[in-house]
Amino acid sequence: MPDVILPAAPADVRPAARATHDLYGPVHKGIRFALTQLLVRLGSTDFADAEAAALMVIAVRAQLALSASHMAHEEAHIHIPLRARSAAACVMVDYQHDHHRQRFVELEALLARMETAPAAARPALGRDLYLAFSLFVSEDLQHMHEEETVTLPLLQRLFTDAELMAMEQAIVSAIPGPEMITWMRVMLPAMSRPERGLMLAHMRADAPEAAYEAVLLHAARPTLTDADWSDLMDRLAA
Ligand SMILES: [Fe+2]
């Protein structure tokens, strides 16, 4: 009986050495952690209390700056090379980033009003701020879902793991030390124990010792429960 020669499978189902590196996962877990924690804090704040209101203005501004920085890094180090290989790949995510920036303008206007409002007007402004921030959080959750379920598979099809890791490394290198501590303070408590252990083991191997020690001291220890810290120490000692 002659050998049966099967036709080649279409390209989209043919097994290929496809990249697997997920350059969104860890940082997006941190962003979800930061946004939802801050949303809950906004909801429980007594805005008639001047000090509490001022603290929330600082906290929301800091989060908007962090989110803006994240978008700029994605655009410079992911969108530009991705567009070069697939012209339409970033239409949706670019639109969502621009929409976020419009939300930042609206939120900053509310923050500025909160800073000068009399005590009697602050609770109503606090409600406006809470609702506006919740809207931004819901939009960013959808946006990150788009990036992780549509953009990431495309990146993994069009780039090698080495290229994806180089993009991620370019982003990490562009972040100044103090901002990196801020990122680690939201990323480390948001990830699983195995993920956390692997990330810090890689950091210990690749980053300057002082940077690694600073992350342990200023990001991991203050944000982890005693049980999670103890687990991390065990993993790093293994
Ligand atoms: Fe994004």
Side-chain angles (χ1 to χ4, degrees):
M1 188 174 165
D3 289 338
V4 176
I5 299 172
L6 295 172
D12 58 343
V13 297
R14 191 183 302 144
R18 185 179 158 149
T20 58
H21 185 62
D22 177 3
L23 73 182
Y24 287 118
V27 68
H28 280 186
K29 278 192 175 184
I31 292 173
R32 291 185 185 96
F33 177 88
L35 293 179
T36 52
Q37 295 259 321
L38 184 52
L39 179 61
V40 171
R41 280 178 63 201
L42 277 170
S44 62
T45 294
D46 171 11
F47 284 94
D49 178 329
E51 191 178 341
L55 282 175
M56 290 318 295
V57 168
I58 291 169
V60 173
R61 246 186 213 134
Q63 181 55 51
L64 299 186
L66 205 60
S67 291
S69 165
H70 175 67
M71 293 197 307
H73 288 141
E74 285 182 343
E75 288 165 5
H77 299 291
I78 300 175
H79 294 197
I80 289 175
L82 177 53
R83 250 188 251 112
R85 293 193 188 179
S86 175
C90 297
V91 169
M92 175 59 90
V93 288
D94 280 338
Y95 166 79
Q96 290 169 327
H97 279 197
D98 288 342
H99 193 263
H100 282 357
R101 277 186 272 268
Q102 182 54 41
R103 290 291 185 220
F104 295 167
V105 172
E106 294 162 10
L107 283 160
E108 176 50 43
L110 283 171
L111 296 175
R113 284 173 62 197
M114 181 71 78
E115 285 180 307
T116 55
R122 285 200 302 264
L125 264 178
R127 178 177 183 272
D128 290 347
L129 179 61
Y130 175 63
L131 292 178
F133 190 74
S134 77
L135 195 56
F136 163 60
V137 171
S138 72
E139 290 165 349
D140 202 17
L141 292 175
Q142 289 197 38
H143 165 64
M144 290 187 287
H145 186 272
E146 171 82 15
E147 287 179 328
E148 291 184 52
T149 61
V150 178
T151 312
L152 180 64
L154 192 57
L155 284 164
Q156 290 173 333
R157 203 155 56 233
L158 296 174
F159 294 84
T160 65
D161 277 322
E163 289 172 323
L164 296 178
M165 286 177 202
M167 288 179 199
E168 187 176 79
Q169 192 50 48
I171 292 175
V172 169
S173 302
I175 297 176
E179 186 183 327
M180 183 53 75
I181 294 293
T182 304
W183 279 112
M184 287 293 130
R185 286 175 65 88
V186 293
M187 288 168 64
L188 291 175
M191 59 182 63
S192 72
R193 287 177 171 184
E195 289 168 342
R196 190 182 300 129
L198 273 178
M199 173 172 275
L200 284 174
H202 284 141
M203 197 175 286
R204 181 172 57 186
D206 300 336
E209 190 179 344
Y212 168 72
E213 294 293 339
V215 166
L216 278 187
L217 182 65
H218 300 297
R221 180 61 279 211
T223 62
L224 298 180
T225 63
D226 287 347
D228 280 343
W229 171 258
S230 164
D231 174 86
L232 179 61
M233 292 299 101
D234 289 346
R235 287 173 191 276
L236 291 171

